[in-house]
Amino acid sequence: MGLSVGIVGLPNVGKSTTFNALTKAQNAQAANYPFCTIEPNKAIVEVPDPRLLELAKIVQPQRIMHSQVEFVDIAGLVKGASKGEGLGNQFLANIKEADAILHIVRCFEDDDITHIENRIDPIADIEIIELELVLADIASVQKRIAKLEKESKAQKGANAMLELARSLLAHLESSQPASNFAHKDTQDFITLNKELRLLSAKQVIYGANVDESALESDNEFVKKVRDFGASKGSPVIKLCAKLEEEMIGLDDDERKELLASVGCAESGLEQIIRTSFYTLGLISYFTAGVQEVRSWTIKNGTKAPQAAAVIHNDFEKGFIRAETIAYEDFIKYGGESKAKESGAMRAEGKDYIVQDGDILHFRFNV
């Protein structure tokens, strides 16, 4: 399964610089003026997972295949974006299909980089963007209500959906996101959201963009964003987009040395990629052979036959069993052969719930 993350934020907060660093290719313009990104940019990024490298040391495969995340960078949003102000409105549709939103927030002062609102206030910035997402959702729900009103006269069940949509509209019109709608866990809402892909219903990760001086310890702006994120149940990742972009092209040792010099053990972008992955309840299982060591993405709680279908639908249709070794046992015994001899390999059936890090070999009928 794929994972897509849409990047949003006001102009000049470091959105495109972050995208450049994420993709390790400067293919999104970054300039000190609003709306410089005039086409949506998409790129595929590997999910960092050191376990793959450890498996490869044992298996010695021809290649290593990581799980992946697609990032979509759109033009900076401004007040009125949902109504067509700036360039944001035409690009909001490009993140409707995203599974989550990475909201880059400016948490630094720099007189040389203009702020479109002429002030530095990360919480006010967040509120501008999130209101625009809500307003865009209002327009979507209003259109759906108009159709449901016609359908309710002829179709069974349309009345219930119509009432839910009207209740959701009232909720949105009170400037509240769909993510805290009282009925968001009902089947009717899930069905409606599959159709509308509501922007304000998506999981949000806040990226607090700082200058290098704030990397080691949080400045006041970051502290405010962390408090805000905690109140919303949303993770906050601190990064210096400028520094991340400067690390493009450095080898691993140089990157580690540079990060250590600013008091960081890990890149902010690595945290963003991994957090995007796990925030959505995704886990990885592995296949390990001489051709490749590979990570496969599934939802936490997925049973073995459905996990097998990620590789090929036929694996689920003809599923017999999943020969399973926990990651820790695979490393402990130095591979499949000794793990099997020690009894660490298990034959799991159709009801087995795959665990993060399982090394699996599927047996199936063709």
Side-chain angles (χ1 to χ4, degrees), residues 88-329:
N89 182 52
Q90 60 186 293
F91 296 125
L92 282 172
N94 292 313
I95 58 171
K96 269 189 171 287
E97 298 306 311
D99 300 293
I101 287 175
L102 171 60
H103 188 162
I104 300 296
V105 187
R106 180 169 170 172
C107 292
F108 64 89
E109 294 178 324
D110 189 331
D111 293 338
D112 293 329
I113 301 178
T114 58
H115 189 292
I116 198 164
E117 296 291 327
N118 296 314
R119 49 98 183 108
I120 308 299
D121 185 340
I123 305 307
D125 289 356
I126 289 172
E127 290 171 346
I128 288 173
I129 298 297
E130 297 195 344
L131 178 58
E132 291 305 321
L133 301 184
V134 167
L135 292 171
D137 285 346
I138 287 173
S140 296
V141 174
Q142 286 173 333
K143 289 178 183 177
R144 189 67 185 101
I145 286 173
K147 290 182 180 179
L148 285 168
E149 286 174 340
K150 295 177 182 177
E151 293 171 3
S152 65
K153 298 173 183 177
Q155 294 182 19
K156 267 189 174 182
N159 278 323
M161 184 66 79
L162 176 58
E163 288 307 307
L164 177 91
R166 285 172 173 165
S167 177
L168 174 60
L169 179 60
H171 176 80
L172 293 168
E173 288 179 336
S174 67
S175 300
Q176 292 296 312
S179 59
N180 64 15
F181 180 49
H183 307 293
K184 68 182 177 67
D185 295 323
T186 64
Q187 189 55 53
D188 279 345
F189 177 84
I190 292 169
T191 300
L192 182 65
N193 191 34
K194 279 184 180 178
E195 177 188 348
L196 299 183
R197 304 290 288 179
L198 297 166
L199 296 170
S200 68
K202 299 182 188 299
Q203 174 67 51
V204 177
I205 299 163
Y206 296 107
N209 185 21
V210 301
D211 55 24
E212 288 185 31
S213 66
L215 277 173
E216 196 161 358
S217 59
D218 292 351
N219 62 26
E220 291 305 310
F221 299 133
V222 175
K223 290 175 182 177
K224 289 179 181 179
V225 175
R226 289 200 191 281
D227 289 343
F228 186 88
S231 73
K232 298 282 188 177
S234 297
V236 176
I237 305 297
K238 182 171 64 174
L239 75 155
C240 174
K242 183 180 178 182
L243 181 66
E244 300 283 350
E245 192 175 32
E246 288 173 1
M247 287 192 289
I248 295 171
L250 297 183
D251 62 32
D252 287 344
D253 289 338
E254 290 172 328
R255 287 177 69 256
K256 287 177 183 177
E257 185 178 344
L258 181 55
L259 287 170
S261 72
V262 292
C264 296
E266 184 181 31
S267 150
L269 297 183
E270 289 173 337
Q271 295 178 59
I272 285 172
I273 296 165
R274 191 163 47 249
T275 300
S276 300
F277 192 78
Y278 289 108
T279 293
L280 291 168
L282 302 178
I283 61 171
S284 298
Y285 74 83
F286 306 120
T287 52
V290 292
Q291 286 191 330
E292 68 176 21
V293 165
R294 181 163 186 163
S295 174
W296 301 90
T297 303
I298 57 172
K299 280 278 189 182
N300 195 9
T302 299
K303 291 185 178 180
Q306 289 71 49
V310 175
I311 299 176
H312 198 288
N313 287 335
D314 289 346
F315 284 24
E316 179 180 8
K317 292 174 184 176
F319 180 89
I320 300 173
R321 66 181 181 272
E323 294 174 352
T324 307
I325 306 172
Y327 170 78
E328 292 77 9
D329 287 335

Side-chain angles (χ1 to χ4, degrees), residues 298-361:
I298 57 172
K299 280 278 189 182
N300 195 9
T302 299
K303 291 185 178 180
Q306 289 71 49
V310 175
I311 299 176
H312 198 288
N313 287 335
D314 289 346
F315 284 24
E316 179 180 8
K317 292 174 184 176
F319 180 89
I320 300 173
R321 66 181 181 272
E323 294 174 352
T324 307
I325 306 172
Y327 170 78
E328 292 77 9
D329 287 335
F330 196 96
I331 299 300
K332 176 181 176 181
Y333 294 108
E336 180 179 321
S337 179
K338 290 185 179 178
K340 187 175 183 179
E341 290 174 9
S342 71
M345 176 185 283
R346 315 181 309 274
E348 301 288 1
K350 292 182 178 181
D351 291 329
Y352 176 66
I353 296 175
V354 176
Q355 302 299 302
D356 186 42
D358 277 351
I359 289 87
L360 300 179
H361 183 81

Side-chain angles (χ1 to χ4, degrees), residues 55-69:
L55 292 174
K57 289 177 184 177
I58 295 171
V59 179
Q60 297 293 310
Q62 295 175 21
R63 62 180 181 175
I64 300 173
M65 300 291 287
H66 290 253
S67 294
Q68 297 176 328
V69 179

